[in-house]
Amino acid sequence: MQTIESLAEPAVADALCRGTLELRTGPFTTRIRSEDTLIVAELRRLYAAHPVRLNPDFSDFHVEVRSVSGPRRWVRRQVTFLFDGREPFKPLPAVQSFALFEWGLNWCIASSAHRWLLMHAAVLARGDDAVVLPAPPGHGKSTLCAALAFNGWRLLSDELVVLDPETGEVWPLARPINVKNQSIEIVRKLVPTAVMTQPVPDTLKGTVAHVAPPIDAVSAMGERARIRWVVLPQWQQGAATTLEPMSPGEVFPALIENAFNYEVLGEDGFDALSLAARDARGFHFRYSDLREALGVFEDLARS
Amino acid sequence: MTPNISIGLAQLVRGELNALPRDLDGWDRLIRVARAANLLGSIAAECDRAGCLESVPEKPRVHLLGALRLARRQAVAVRWEAERIGEALAPIEERVVLLKGAAYVADGLDFAAGRMFSDVDILVPFERVRVVEDALMRFGWATTHLSSYDQRYYRQWMHEIPPMQHLERGTTVDVHHRILPRTARFDPDPASMLEHARPSRQWPGIWVLSREDMLLHSATHLYHEGETDNAFRDLLDIERLLGCFAEDPAFGASLFARARDLQLLTPLTVVLTMAEAVIGTKVPPEVARELNAQPPSRSLQRMLNTGWQPSHTLCEKPGSAVCRWLVYARAHLLRMPPHLLILHLFRKAWMRFTDADDMPRTENSR
Amino acid sequence: MAEPTQESPSSPVPRLKCVPLGNVVAAYDRHSGRTHVLDPLTAAILEERWLHGIEADGEALSSAVAGRLGCDRNELLLQLVGESLARLRSAGLC
């Protein structure tokens, strides 16, 4: 099996230039075209261990990141993302091209992958028991997710839960973890050896960086997991670490609220989430100390 | 390659499944073009109807299943919407007369399985527009926020009032009171279409246009439409409408008689001629005779033959971008006399998408 | 107004699909595609209506609900039943 790191840089750059490089992230394959040097460099670093194919036959998504035409091609260069020829977003400054690629791939999945129930949450696993962490922004989800991912929990995804409504299993994506602002420093200290992009300031979300997923998460991208715990995290300055049980009746709406395509899945979506709410243990989780938080999750795993 | 993909796409939508790709490369191209042409759900529905979804290779099958799910869900939602609109209009004793795709489903036309919907379109008498708007507001719809310029433009010139969105459900209803904008070259009488409206065959309490008017309405809109994204699909709809209704041998004659009455003969003949050229429609002999009697100009045919292909790079012919722009500009000329032409962009609501904070602000147009 | 949808002439499919979740009930309305989370009283009312055809507002309904919940048919119950019915009506469920 070929990975990006098994290819020499000129081969990667050439394949990207011609749009013949296909990247696998869990159940999704993406054919990428780009001449952007930042894209080439960051794909090689952040997706080093991911499986790739050259000259693929069928790919789920065909994407391109390219410079816009016109004056912005040269002056304060902007880049744009295309999903099979269509531009879903406004262009962004060229320095944000990798972040744009990541957001764009989220868009491709969220807007068309209705074979699955998709939720906006982090999901990690211990063995094949998964913990889902739904949270609106500002609750500390991505910092916690990164901490867990590098402390014995297998990363499935930091933002997109891909749930198979037929089997109730969650599919890993094992993609880079998106961290922002203060979180960047915290993660750097927590995991000094992690591969990270250069922080990019002034994006719509503040300063943004991506952290390469741990190798074990990437090699296990074919191993699905079942939802065993649903934890709603809330980081709060100075808060004591508390884990409060949530009833299934509370877990159910929490899952629905964070689902992208619940309505589209209709009754299958209802089945998938009502059963997940019934069978998983739910918790509200408040914390300020990351180490203590990790301890709580260890206890959870052992229970 | 270029014409083959479009023809292959048309064949599949018709249910001629021998045109299914033979290898994954072929599937890769088909899925992309079908998605761009808004026909992925229709193809999935045809495969499902023929019982051959299971034999589609797994990688493309996932995409077909996703599109089918979406389309089926939308069909349920559209019916629910139509019934809610009916509830709102009942107190003022106004019928719900559906237009376009929702009407095809309501009338049980099986080619409409797998179709993608965005809004619900209804036709009401011009003199009742205000009353209808008020009735809808009482049941939770609100006029979409537009600048006062846009409001004036809509209400003065257009054939519909600004879209109304339901505050709780987020769905949109377009209330039409004319067939075409007031300034358009053709001026078909909406009152006559309303007079000939009939109860739909599948949804009790919901009405649709007569069979002839359904086809004429679709043809007229395609003829005048500036945005080419759905042109290929619309041609297929018209072909299928003709196919369904022309099982009755008298239909061809009554269609053209009606077209003459409403002075829509030109749009009808142009669209049917283009259906032959672009998607290979085989028209019945009596229709062919009418088309041969007044062929559209060669330059128009050439322009539409390119502009009405599926909008995907794999279907581009030389000059596609230019033709699309020409179609767009021509549509505006048709809708407004040259001295009133203002380049005015309308964005209809796209399918609702949860506004996750991780996504940059998106702009989608249909 | 509240008819079960029929998926085929020979096998009517119930309009509501219910999944108990601890002390509430998750319900999927097949007719509208809407999802509801119902308290036990409202869920009991719906079940009595749908499973046993007991009409709304009747004595039979509140008696059946009282029996189901294991309590007396008293003023408070009648009031709560009335409130639940109002909620159900505005959700289009009866």
Side-chain angles (χ1 to χ4, degrees):
Chain A
M1 184 198 64
Q2 263 180 332
T3 59
I4 288 204
E5 64 193 346
S6 68
L7 298 170
E9 195 269 356
V12 174
D14 180 59
L16 284 170
C17 191
R18 287 186 291 126
T20 55
L21 182 90
E22 180 199 76
L23 173 73
R24 172 172 283 283
T25 53
F28 303 114
T29 51
T30 308
R31 201 179 304 194
I32 311 169
R33 177 194 294 274
S34 187
E35 295 177 29
D36 187 281
T37 48
L38 193 60
I39 292 279
V40 176
E42 300 294 31
L43 281 175
R44 292 185 68 232
R45 291 177 66 231
L46 280 275
Y47 283 97
H50 280 67
V52 289
R53 284 197 303 174
L54 296 175
N55 302 304
D57 45 18
F58 182 95
S59 305
D60 293 311
F61 307 118
H62 293 244
V63 306
E64 183 175 352
V65 177
R66 68 165 183 234
S67 298
V68 302
S69 40
R72 288 296 218 197
R73 186 164 164 57
W74 309 112
V75 176
R76 287 192 305 208
R77 187 167 72 97
Q78 283 187 331
V79 286
T80 185
F81 178 87
L82 291 105
F83 174 21
D84 203 16
R86 306 222 153 175
E87 294 182 56
F89 307 138
K90 295 193 204 243
L92 290 178
V95 67
Q96 296 181 26
S97 61
F98 183 73
L100 178 62
F101 168 75
E102 287 290 306
W103 291 329
L105 191 47
N106 289 347
W107 166 267
C108 293
I109 297 169
S111 65
S112 64
H114 300 300
R115 158 76 177 76
W116 288 275
L117 182 81
L118 302 168
M119 289 191 278
H120 184 221
V123 54
L124 305 105
R126 188 55 73 83
D128 56 14
D129 291 326
V131 59
V132 171
L133 300 148
H139 287 234
K141 174 184 64 160
S142 35
T143 317
L144 182 59
C145 175
L148 289 166
F150 287 94
N151 280 281
W153 289 82
R154 174 165 67 100
L155 175 75
L156 278 73
S157 177
D158 66 327
E159 303 207 279
L160 268 181
V161 177
V162 179
L163 179 65
D164 189 336
E166 282 168 27
T167 61
E169 293 173 316
V170 177
W171 283 75
L173 298 180
R175 284 171 55 204
I177 303 170
N178 186 1
V179 289
K180 45 190 199 277
N181 303 322
Q182 303 92 311
S183 189
I184 299 174
E185 257 322 291
I186 296 174
V187 174
R188 227 199 272 276
K189 288 209 181 75
L190 198 67
V191 197
T193 53
V195 173
M196 215 193 274
T197 60
Q198 272 288 86
V200 178
D202 302 328
T203 71
L204 289 159
K205 296 164 67 166
T207 301
V208 153
H210 286 84
V211 185
I215 292 284
D216 68 289
V218 179
S219 3
M221 76 164 65
E223 288 168 34
R224 283 94 73 190
R226 304 204 76 87
I227 303 177
R228 178 107 187 277
W229 308 281
V230 176
V231 177
L232 271 61
Q234 167 81 67
W235 183 89
Q236 198 170 25
Q237 178 112 31
T241 310
T242 48
L243 191 68
E244 277 169 32
M246 260 175 96
S247 67
E250 289 176 84
V251 171
F252 181 57
L255 292 177
I256 295 181
E257 267 159 32
N258 287 284
F260 286 114
N261 61 354
Y262 179 73
E263 298 257 301
V264 176
L265 280 259
E267 191 169 338
D268 289 340
F270 173 83
D271 289 343
L273 291 188
S274 59
L275 295 181
R278 186 192 66 185
D279 298 340
R281 291 169 61 202
F283 300 95
H284 284 291
F285 180 56
R286 202 174 301 249
Y287 72 105
S288 53
D289 184 315
L290 209 47
R291 258 171 305 118
E292 279 184 24
L294 290 174
V296 167
F297 278 81
E298 277 311 312
D299 292 337
L300 212 54
R302 270 196 291 266
S303 64
Chain B
M1 153 77 93
T2 304
N4 286 347
I5 282 232
S6 317
I7 294 292
L9 186 58
Q11 285 177 307
L12 290 171
V13 173
R14 280 183 197 117
E16 292 162 24
L17 298 181
N18 52 320
L20 283 174
R22 304 201 190 291
D23 58 24
L24 285 175
D25 288 278
W27 274 109
D28 186 87
R29 289 190 291 272
L30 177 68
I31 296 284
R32 292 161 63 197
V33 174
R35 182 174 276 135
N38 223 6
L39 289 168
L40 195 54
S42 304
I43 294 184
E46 288 299 325
C47 290
D48 189 51
R49 192 206 307 269
C52 70
L53 258 182
E54 285 307 304
S55 51
V56 173
E58 205 213 314
K59 291 182 187 183
R61 180 161 24 104
V62 162
H63 292 262
L64 293 177
L65 288 174
L68 195 54
R69 218 185 245 296
L70 183 59
R72 288 207 171 130
R73 179 72 198 108
Q74 286 181 330
V76 169
V78 159
R79 177 169 187 169
W80 182 249
E81 273 315 293
E83 288 174 358
R84 301 283 71 68
I85 295 169
E87 256 175 20
L89 299 189
I92 57 164
E93 284 169 16
E94 194 54 57
R95 298 174 300 178
V96 177
V97 181
L98 290 179
L99 301 172
K100 302 188 185 172
Y104 307 155
V105 181
D107 211 32
L109 301 175
D110 57 14
F111 73 82
R115 193 189 179 79
M116 302 293 188
F117 296 97
S118 44
D119 352 320
V120 175
D121 296 79
I122 63 174
L123 180 65
V124 305
F126 174 65
E127 62 277 7
R128 298 212 85 200
V129 167
R130 269 273 120 82
V131 157
V132 165
E133 210 178 340
D134 287 341
L136 289 170
M137 288 200 287
R138 247 175 278 126
F139 279 76
W141 280 271
T143 306
T144 14
H145 181 71
L146 288 175
S147 72
S148 53
Y149 170 79
D150 286 344
Q151 287 268 354
R152 253 200 330 273
Y153 178 87
Y154 247 107
R155 291 178 191 280
Q156 192 169 356
W157 301 115
M158 288 299 287
H159 55 293
E160 53 190 9
I161 61 176
M164 296 186 77
Q165 194 173 37
H166 194 269
L167 294 169
E168 199 196 302
R169 290 192 300 274
T171 49
T172 308
V173 57
D174 280 343
V175 179
H176 298 240
H177 51 83
R178 303 177 55 82
I179 307 307
L180 289 169
R182 200 189 304 267
T183 54
R185 189 187 342 156
F186 301 103
D187 187 18
D189 179 12
S192 179
M193 284 203 173
L194 280 168
E195 218 179 308
H196 285 73
R198 57 189 170 90
S200 73
R201 292 186 301 185
Q202 297 284 324
W203 297 355
I206 302 294
W207 294 63
V208 295
L209 299 178
S210 72
R211 300 172 316 166
E212 293 81 358
D213 288 351
M214 221 186 235
L215 204 156
L216 282 171
H217 186 263
S218 187
T220 303
H221 268 274
L222 178 54
Y223 179 81
H224 286 82
E225 184 57 66
E227 309 220 353
T228 53
D229 286 353
N230 280 321
F232 194 80
R233 183 199 67 176
D234 291 348
L235 282 172
L236 280 162
D237 283 346
I238 287 163
E239 176 192 284
R240 313 288 229 95
L241 282 171
L242 191 62
C244 279
F245 297 150
E247 278 161 7
D248 168 4
F251 180 73
S254 73
L255 175 67
F256 278 86
R258 184 70 171 150
R260 288 187 170 89
D261 276 345
L262 295 176
Q263 300 177 335
L264 293 176
L265 191 57
T266 303
L268 180 64
T269 50
V270 169
V271 166
L272 290 177
T273 306
M274 294 319 302
E276 287 182 311
V278 179
I279 58 173
T281 301
K282 310 258 184 294
V283 300
E286 64 274 16
V287 173
R289 270 196 295 277
E290 293 274 6
L291 299 186
N292 292 334
Q294 39 196 301
S297 77
R298 282 216 179 288
S299 61
L300 181 62
Q301 284 193 55
R302 257 200 308 275
M303 182 179 88
L304 294 179
N305 201 342
T306 302
W308 283 356
Q309 295 287 337
S311 38
H312 191 276
T313 47
L314 288 169
C315 300
E316 302 263 277
K317 295 176 159 192
S320 281
V322 174
C323 282
R324 269 186 238 294
W325 191 88
L326 282 174
V327 173
Y328 179 82
R330 170 182 161 272
H332 276 272
L333 279 170
L334 286 175
R335 282 167 188 257
M336 306 189 80
H339 66 279
L340 281 178
L341 177 65
I342 304 158
L343 260 170
H344 192 120
L345 294 173
F346 299 102
R347 295 187 189 275
K348 281 198 166 188
W350 183 255
M351 191 189 92
R352 217 161 40 111
F353 178 74
T354 308
D355 198 347
D357 190 56
D358 297 274
M359 311 291 167
R361 264 290 151 229
T362 65
E363 287 194 341
N364 275 306
S365 64
R366 271 318 267 119
Chain C
M1 208 190 309
E3 307 285 324
T5 42
Q6 292 223 319
E7 295 212 339
S8 71
S10 54
S11 58
V13 175
R15 175 171 168 173
L16 262 197
K17 177 176 206 166
C18 294
V19 172
L21 289 180
N23 58 3
V24 298
V25 174
Y28 182 77
D29 180 354
R30 290 185 169 105
H31 195 55
S32 66
R34 296 178 73 168
T35 298
H36 306 273
V37 177
L38 305 169
D39 61 87
L41 177 63
T42 312
I45 291 172
L46 269 178
E47 284 193 284
E48 287 302 323
R49 276 182 59 78
W50 288 119
L51 297 179
H52 307 293
I54 294 180
E55 276 313 299
D57 296 357
E59 277 194 25
L61 176 66
S62 37
S63 298
V65 167
R68 192 179 259 277
L69 298 176
C71 64
D72 291 331
R73 190 171 154 269
N74 57 31
E75 277 288 324
L76 180 60
L77 179 73
L78 290 173
Q79 186 190 332
L80 292 174
V81 168
E83 285 170 11
S84 283
L85 282 171
R87 269 200 299 278
L88 286 171
R89 271 188 206 106
S90 75
L93 282 174
C94 69

